[in-house]
Amino acid sequence: MDKPVELPGYQRFEFAHEGRTRTVYRKGTGPAVIVIHEMPGLHPLVLRFADRVAEAGMTVFCPSLFGEPGRPVSAGYALGELARGCVRAEFAAWATDRSSPIVDWLRALARKAHGECGGNGVGAVGMCFTGGFALAMMTDPAVVAPVLSQPSLPLPFGSQKRAAAIGASPREIACVRQRLEAEDLSIIGLRFFRDPFVPDARFKTYRTEFGTRFEAIEIDPKDAAPGPGPPHSVLTIHLNEDGPTKAAERRVIEFFRQRTGTDA
């Protein structure tokens, strides 16, 4: 068994639900936000974003779903974890009409976080491979502030149907739509234009399904910070400390504060 990884400034614990156990890292005080990392894992720039959420007065919960916590990004590391993620049963990498099974575990984590941290509810942000998870998590009443950052599942390549799909079942989509109206909630989606992992058709589906309740933040690739690969990771790898990406980060943190009751 691998030695548990400690992250400076974070409390580590194991969370189990219906046969799945994952490590979670926690930091801060105030209402809860679940920060779900991107490929290849819970890398330092995901933690930088989580640190900023904690500094804004919230408790961040960072589950480790794949990869090695704290390990920096490299091309080989990312490709290896992507290949493994595509075949793991926990992730519906290719399915067009359902969410990934790991979302049930994430919903349970959100309930735990809300119970411990209070507030109006829980914020949740997914990134890249996990980018759409916060949408399906919203079928649980604890989740009130979903953010979808470069949502890449189902992987869109080779299929127009997958390009337009949003990684949720019709039942989940209907539940989210009902909650958005009944509770006066909204969703934020972020991407760089021309990102092949997040095609135009996917954001068109969000707009069709959720109308004005879906706030799209779409950024010109020229405004991305240099980093591995083409512009993709809005809140982490390709975040510039000024300009549109920084404005997007500020908007997301403000959204979490407002919806969770941190500003109350």
Side-chain angles (χ1 to χ4, degrees):
M1 183 176 179
D2 292 339
K3 182 179 178 181
V5 176
E6 302 293 341
L7 297 176
Y10 286 79
Q11 298 175 311
R12 180 181 58 83
F13 66 94
E14 304 299 310
F15 179 65
H17 175 70
E18 293 188 349
R20 288 191 174 93
T21 301
R22 294 289 177 271
T23 300
V24 182
Y25 296 88
R26 174 177 175 163
K27 181 178 187 177
T29 58
V33 174
I34 313 294
V35 177
I36 315 165
H37 63 78
E38 61 198 0
M39 285 290 173
L42 190 53
H43 62 75
L45 296 181
V46 174
L47 293 168
R48 179 185 68 182
F49 174 77
D51 289 344
R52 290 171 177 177
V53 175
E55 289 164 4
M58 290 162 279
T59 306
V60 289
F61 289 76
C62 302
S64 180
L65 303 184
F66 41 80
E68 179 183 337
R71 180 177 172 179
V73 175
S74 68
Y77 178 30
L79 287 172
E81 288 300 326
L82 178 60
R84 282 186 282 272
C86 286
V87 298
R88 283 174 56 180
E90 291 174 308
F91 305 111
W94 306 101
T96 60
D97 58 355
R98 62 185 176 92
S99 59
S100 291
I102 193 65
V103 170
D104 287 335
W105 182 91
L106 289 165
R107 285 188 279 244
L109 178 63
R111 291 192 293 273
K112 170 185 171 65
H114 187 210
E116 293 181 358
C117 298
N120 297 336
V122 173
V125 55
M127 305 174 180
C128 178
F129 203 75
T130 71
F133 290 3
L135 175 67
M137 287 173 69
M138 206 182 171
T139 62
D140 192 287
V143 179
V144 297
V147 175
L148 322 177
S149 192
Q150 71 271 5
S152 303
L153 293 191
L155 294 173
F157 309 113
S159 167
Q160 286 300 313
K161 185 177 181 182
R162 284 200 300 270
I166 58 175
S169 70
R171 181 192 64 80
E172 289 168 328
I173 292 169
C175 177
V176 170
R177 192 185 299 119
Q178 189 276 331
R179 285 197 65 204
L180 292 173
E181 295 300 326
E183 301 173 45
D184 193 22
L185 300 175
S186 58
I187 301 164
I188 291 179
L190 307 101
R191 68 165 184 154
F192 288 103
F193 285 116
R194 300 184 294 281
D195 182 345
F197 284 91
V198 195
D200 293 348
R202 182 159 299 159
F203 265 47
K204 181 179 179 180
T205 299
Y206 290 131
R207 291 184 173 98
T208 299
E209 294 290 354
F210 307 119
T212 59
R213 299 286 177 178
F214 177 69
E215 177 184 343
I217 299 176
E218 299 173 284
I219 300 171
D220 194 310
K222 70 178 177 58
D223 294 310
H232 175 65
S233 298
V234 178
L235 299 172
T236 60
I237 297 170
H238 299 108
L239 172 77
N240 258 321
E241 290 300 331
D242 57 19
T245 55
K246 189 64 178 181
E249 180 193 65
R250 287 195 295 266
R251 172 60 186 133
V252 167
I253 292 174
E254 174 194 36
F255 179 68
F256 287 149
R257 286 181 56 85
Q258 291 173 339
R259 294 295 187 189
T260 64
T262 304
D263 288 335

